[in-house]
Every structure is written in structure tokens, then in C-alpha cells.
Amino acid sequence: MRPIIPDYLAEALGDVEPDTSGEPAAYIPELAAADPERLAAAFATVDGRVYGAGDVDVPFTIQSISKPFAYALALADRGFDPVLAKVGVEPSGEAFNEISLESGTGRPLNPMINAGAITVHSLVGAGNPGPAERVERVVHGLSAFADRRLAVDEEVCASEMEHAHRNLAIAHMLRSHDVLTEDARGVVDGYTRQCSVLVTTRDLAMMAATLANHGVNPLSGEQVVPKPVVRQVLSVMFSCGMYDAAGDWATQVGIPAKSGVAGGLIGALPGRIGIATFSPRLDRHGNSVRGVSLFERFSSDMGLHVMEVPSPGRATVRSNHVVGSGPDALRVLELQGGIDFAGAEHVVREIMETAPPETRVAIDLTRVHAIDDVARRMVLEVARRLTLDDHEVHLVDPETILPDPDPGDGGRVTVVRDVDGLGLPSA
Ligand code: GLN
């Protein structure tokens, strides 16, 4: 059988191929010379499977797609406060290379525009690394996201540095506000090296999948950056990743994303998938024309908009029934799926509304594959209140999905591996 997803990706590429509008970035001569017909798309799942079509193994420079990853590294290396003190998280609604800083503080508005990204570059690395050590930390960190040793394209880097007047102007402004505290040119040089790291569409999909997978690279299993850092990075990508097109993107595509002027584009859908596309012609915002079309299509074909997640709530209570009769009767609430706040609210409501007359109540977690912290606390609180109302509460938990279930404060639960372990009265 022909594989379904690569066929779908190839068809999507075929549909956008005739669109030759836009221009490759001209302000970096090496990029202007790139083949504008290159076209690729790849999906990487959070368990490490990559599907691709087109030029997925053709290398190009990462450019601004390095920004969210460098931001992640700075947050991981320094902690949130020192980074937030220097770079804000507000969408700027301006072009990526706008020479603008927050009035009063001189802080760049966010880490996705160049002013913010140049500052973030200066914050990567614990302690106070020198410029070369810092670049090495960036390249090493980006490589961990990709699970492959990446390298800098020296030609593209030199070509951009020769024309980096704008970024130098931004850096000097940052220096004059003491947002940068070291030699402005050195920082721009390091930032330009960061932007010149070579990646393929396949690499970018895997890097995005690492963000989608709570910071754990799906192939190596390495926790590249902590979970709270990933939440911060994805939030900023959602509001600022597409520069002055961020609002259109958020409403129409709805996937945390980042574009680069070499033509790359990534999207990371939390808990689900990493996506990357490559096509060098850019629109007036500096985003890949065909890349934007592909993402619009992927989002609508596959229901990937983050605001469109199916509610797990309704389906959490699989059944609510009684086994046996008389004083030994057992009330069983069979739960299923992944349980979060909305799901736990249904469990709580179901129990409140049932107000079980039976003394014995079993909460059956056999079909539950995950339960988050708030849901765990809510289920245990229900168990505690049931105990206080003179119920005997059992938790059926064969796979220890809810370890050490201590409802505290007068609550008591007995854990069993299966419902049969409850010595059921024969019905
Ligand atoms: N290196 C590029 C610059 O700073 C990155 C810009 C981008 O990809 N949008 O101008």
C-alpha cells in the first residue's frame, strides 16, 4: 500500500507549486542567489516519525527560525527573570527588522523581532560565556533540538555580515540603552552565525516536534529545555512568530509558528505534531508565500487550529453503573481517555448528581491513559468527600496512573488492580 501521509504532502506541494509570487530575500546576497523553486514539507510526530515530500533533505540557513530556539536556550540557561527584564513578550505589529524599542525602558518588545533576538543571543549560556563559546552553545542547543550535529554556513554568514547595517544599528541602540552590555558588533556577529546554521526541512520538523513534545526530542529522548520554557516559547511564537502578520496567522492557521527569510517555516502543535515547509519566495512580511499557503491548507484539512481541540470532558465518564445489590452493592464509575480539568469536572459533576446511595464506590481508571495534576487533585478530593459521607472508596488502577493516592484530611481510598479484586457480589 502506498503511504497515505507522504502522498497527501506531495499533492499539497503540487497544488502550491504554480504560485511563483513573492521574491527571495534580496538584502542577503547569498540568499538572493538561492534556487527559488525549491519546495518541501515535512511532519514529525511526537514519537519521532517523520513524513516528508519534495526537497526535504536540501539544506538552507535557519535564519529567524533560530529565534524561538535561542530564546528557549536563554530561558533555560539564565532563568525567566533576567531574560524578561531585557526582552518583553508583546507583539510589535511591526516588520521583523524594525528599529523600535519600548519607550521608557528601551527593551525590545519581543524575542521574535531582530531587536529582541539580538538581545536574546547575548543572554544564551550560563555564567558569562565569551562570544565564541556562546555561539557554540547555540549551535549545540539547536543540534539537540534536531538530534543531529548542525553547522554554520560561513558564506551566508559572511554575506549577511557585510550588509548588516540595520542589525548593527539596532545593536548600537540596544547598547546605548544598556540592554546590551558588551560590544555591539560582536553580538551581531554571533547572532548572524546563529541565523546561518544550516538545516533541512526534515531537521526543522524534528525541532518543531521537540517543542510540540514538551521539550523532549522524540528521537533521542533528551529533555532539551524544561517544560515551562517550552510553554513560554510556544506562547510567544503564537502571538509574535509571524511579525506583522501574526494576527492573521493566529486566526486563520492557529498554530504557534516561526518563519525565516531563507524560506523556512515551522509550526509546533503542542502534544501533537511538528510541521516544517521550505520555499524561498517571500511575501511583504518576509514569510514564505507557498509556506503560508501550505500551512493554511494543513490547518484546515487536518483541524490543527489550537482553538479547535476536541473537548475530552464529555467522554471522560464511560459508564456509571451499579454491580450487585443490597449492602454489598458497588457503584462503579468507569473513566476513560486523558483527563484534564474539563474531564475531571465531568467526573465530579457525575458523582454529585448521582449522589450514590451505595456505600461502596469504585472509580475505575483502567481505561485512563493520562491524568494531569489538577484532575488528579479533583478526583482525590471527590474521594475524600465521599469518605467523609461514609462511603468506602476504591480506586481501580492497574497501571498506577494515579500513584500514591492520598486524599488527605479524613479521606481514604483503597487501590485494587481490577474490579474483580473488589470481591463483587454475584449479580
Ligand atoms: N538573519 C536575518 C536578519 O537578521 C534573519 C531575519 C529573518 O529570518 N526574518 O535580518
Side-chain angles (χ1 to χ4, degrees), residues 60 62-71 95-96 110-114 117 191 194-195 204 208 211 233-234 236-244 246 249 253 255-261 263-268 275-277 285-288 291-292 295:
F60 53 94
I62 188 167
Q63 298 299 341
S64 284
I65 302 172
S66 65
K67 291 171 181 174
F69 298 101
Y71 185 46
F96 69 90
N110 69 65
M112 301 294 129
I113 53 170
N114 287 10
Y191 160 78
Q194 169 190 314
C195 290
L204 287 180
L211 289 178
V233 171
L234 290 174
V236 172
M237 283 167 74
F238 195 68
S239 55
C240 314
M242 301 300 277
Y243 313 117
D244 43 341
W249 181 269
V253 179
I255 299 174
K258 189 71 205 77
S259 63
V261 286
L265 183 51
I266 63 163
I275 303 175
T277 60
H285 306 289
N287 300 327
S288 165
V292 171
F295 268 84

Side-chain angles (χ1 to χ4, degrees), residues 216-289:
V216 176
N217 179 283
L219 296 176
S220 67
E222 181 187 345
Q223 180 86 53
V224 181
V225 290
K227 229 169 147 178
V229 164
V230 172
R231 189 179 85 166
Q232 176 80 5
V233 171
L234 290 174
S235 307
V236 172
M237 283 167 74
F238 195 68
S239 55
C240 314
M242 301 300 277
Y243 313 117
D244 43 341
D248 268 348
W249 181 269
T251 50
Q252 281 166 35
V253 179
I255 299 174
K258 189 71 205 77
S259 63
V261 286
L265 183 51
I266 63 163
L269 206 59
R272 293 156 82 189
I273 200 167
I275 303 175
T277 60
F278 172 47
S279 169
R281 291 194 196 88
L282 309 179
D283 63 18
R284 64 190 169 86
H285 306 289
N287 300 327
S288 165
V289 174

